[in-house]
Amino acid sequence: MNQNIPSIAARQHTGLQSRVNERTTFMSDDLQVRPYIGTTSAAAILGVSETVVKKLAKRGDIPGAYREGKQWFLPRAEVEKLAKQRRKETA
């Protein structure tokens, strides 16, 4: 048997380990402050529904927001600025 060819078990373990590493990296990225957030996070910051966030982004009320497919990417700083403005208006 050729020693350079990994066994099926070794290949499966390597694939599993890479998925675990990807998930760990993804989870640790979530703990950091990311420059772009999704509609769920933006809705929580603004205190509105995801539908409202999507409408705000579509209207251009969140500068720098862009869409890839069905996913919206919103600049965290702009969302926080908008939340601060909304709090001032209601106070």
Side-chain angles (χ1 to χ4, degrees):
M1 187 170 176
N2 189 344
Q3 296 296 336
N4 295 330
I5 300 173
S7 68
I8 292 173
R11 284 183 293 195
Q12 287 173 341
H13 175 72
T14 303
L16 176 62
Q17 188 61 44
S18 68
R19 286 192 300 262
V20 168
N21 289 341
E22 287 171 11
R23 180 161 295 161
T24 304
T25 302
F26 175 73
M27 288 168 54
S28 64
D29 287 345
D30 281 349
L31 298 176
Q32 299 174 5
V33 175
R34 295 174 295 164
Y36 284 88
I37 57 175
T39 55
T40 305
S41 298
I45 291 169
L46 293 168
V48 298
S49 69
E50 285 186 65
T51 303
V52 171
V53 172
K54 291 174 187 176
K55 287 179 182 178
L56 290 170
K58 193 172 184 178
R59 274 196 332 219
D61 291 340
I62 304 174
Y66 67 96
R67 188 173 169 180
E68 286 185 9
K70 294 183 178 181
Q71 178 72 38
W72 278 97
F73 294 89
L74 311 155
R76 177 184 286 276
E78 294 297 331
V79 171
E80 290 174 348
K81 189 187 305 181
L82 182 59
K84 189 175 181 179
Q85 289 172 353
R86 291 171 63 97
R87 282 192 293 265
K88 280 184 182 179
E89 290 173 3
T90 59

